[in-house]
Amino acid sequence: MVIEHVNGEKKGKVMLYALSTCGWCAKTKGLLRELGVDFDYMYVDLLEGQEQDNAMNEVEKWNPNGSFPTLVIRDKKSIIGFREEEIREALK
Amino acid sequence: MNPAVVDETEIDRLFKTLKNEAGNGGYFLNPDVDFTKNLVRGLLKNEHRYGYSACPCRLASGKKEEDLDIICPCIYRDPDLNDFGACYCALYVSEAVAKGKKITGPVPERRPPRSGRIKKSAIHILSTAPLNSLPLPVWRCTVCGYLCAREQPPEICPVCKAKKERFERFI
């Protein structure tokens, strides 16, 4: 299972690309839980080979730097890094 | 041993070592101990699964020679401390941040994206141009900037403790 799902209030598709070791990714995931929204997340460092490459290609579509966390909201907007206010605003 | 599981005593031990080394070298760890220990856990996890302590906030390739720039402390730490008061992970922070006089926000990624990374050999040559009549080559630590003139770089940087492979030939 590559994508993990967290149940919550539906606010449209919310996808978090993260690393299992990254402090800011953990904070971002914690904020999404606190906000109680329905979201998916993926730990890209836990993938291997082609699966990881595919995930990175997807991340780079939204964030050419390929950095983490990359949060994609409703397939329209991406928020890069733990930008608390921006995330709260986008998921109001 | 499951590489994903990191022992708490191991985390405490590395945390203490890093804190001491930071103090001795004029650096500061993030004063948020829980946050910092979580990063230390990530460092140890990376050490176990890749064989080198890659930055916990960046995706490592598993090939050490491609990731020399992001072995913690990464070569981006010092410029990020100067510009943003924290390294990319915020494991290290500036003195002002450590003392609560300043707060930091997200640090933008300074490492080039996958497509723009230059593959360098472990000890590469920056330039050989003007001063090639010097009796010895000058080596630069890519982590802290320490320079020394000798036949080979030292095994360990005497300033920041980075290993020999992280030196580059400067002159």
Side-chain angles (χ1 to χ4, degrees):
Chain A
M1 187 59 182
V2 172
I3 297 176
E4 302 282 344
H5 182 75
V6 178
N7 284 318
E9 193 187 338
K10 303 233 183 318
K11 297 256 176 168
K13 191 178 169 195
V14 177
M15 178 72 209
L16 173 67
Y17 296 95
L19 301 178
S20 69
T21 48
C22 156
W24 298 114
C25 298
K27 287 213 182 227
T28 305
K29 195 166 142 226
L31 177 62
L32 293 176
R33 280 185 185 277
E34 184 200 315
L35 293 172
V37 298
D38 200 83
F39 71 99
D40 292 304
Y41 69 94
M42 182 192 278
Y43 284 139
V44 178
D45 61 312
L46 301 183
L47 308 178
E48 283 177 10
Q50 195 55 46
E51 221 169 39
Q52 189 179 76
D53 270 350
N54 294 345
M56 280 311 291
N57 292 338
E58 193 60 34
V59 173
E60 284 166 351
K61 265 201 255 170
W62 295 98
N63 167 12
N65 265 329
S67 62
F68 298 91
T70 294
L71 181 64
V72 182
I73 298 171
R74 299 178 197 107
D75 276 328
K76 266 163 78 180
K77 178 187 170 67
S78 63
I79 299 176
I80 298 157
F82 178 61
R83 298 181 187 273
E84 184 170 352
E85 289 315 310
E86 243 183 271
I87 295 169
R88 284 182 186 276
E89 188 59 34
L91 293 172
K92 254 187 189 166
Chain B
M1 188 178 68
N2 181 349
V5 178
V6 179
D7 186 42
E8 295 297 325
T9 55
E10 208 185 348
I11 295 173
D12 285 339
R13 201 182 316 134
L14 180 58
F15 175 76
K16 276 189 195 134
T17 305
L18 291 176
K19 201 168 158 66
N20 283 338
E21 282 178 5
N24 292 337
Y27 289 94
F28 298 86
L29 289 191
N30 191 323
D32 181 341
V33 174
D34 287 343
F35 182 83
T36 302
K37 282 195 175 172
N38 200 34
L39 291 172
V40 172
R41 177 192 304 278
L43 279 175
L44 287 165
K45 183 175 175 182
N46 284 349
E47 170 93 54
H48 293 167
R49 63 180 169 173
Y50 303 128
Y52 53 94
S53 49
C55 173
C57 300
R58 294 180 167 109
L59 183 64
S61 67
K63 295 177 194 125
K64 191 177 182 181
E65 64 279 10
E66 290 178 13
D67 287 338
L68 287 171
D69 59 332
I70 58 162
I71 294 175
C72 186
C74 69
I75 68 169
Y76 312 106
R77 174 187 64 174
D78 287 11
D80 282 338
L81 285 173
N82 283 333
D83 293 350
F84 304 105
C87 74
Y88 185 65
C89 282
L91 174 63
Y92 292 94
V93 296
S94 68
E95 184 173 10
V97 172
K99 293 186 173 162
K101 291 177 188 158
K102 221 180 119 185
I103 50 165
T104 57
V107 175
E109 175 59 299
R110 199 182 278 272
R111 187 186 203 208
R114 284 193 300 173
S115 56
R117 281 174 210 155
I118 303 159
K119 293 210 170 89
K120 294 173 176 174
S121 63
I123 295 173
H124 65 277
I125 297 172
L126 267 189
S127 84
T128 50
L131 296 163
N132 55 7
S133 59
L134 289 174
L136 287 167
V138 176
W139 302 94
R140 175 181 179 275
C141 172
T142 58
V143 175
C144 74
Y146 165 75
L147 298 176
C148 59
R150 44 191 278 175
E151 291 294 351
Q152 288 287 318
E155 290 301 319
I156 290 173
C157 173
V159 176
C160 76
K161 315 293 180 240
K163 290 185 187 156
K164 180 178 187 174
E165 67 224 16
R166 311 202 56 199
F167 276 75
E168 61 189 4
R169 188 164 168 181
F170 190 62
I171 300 171

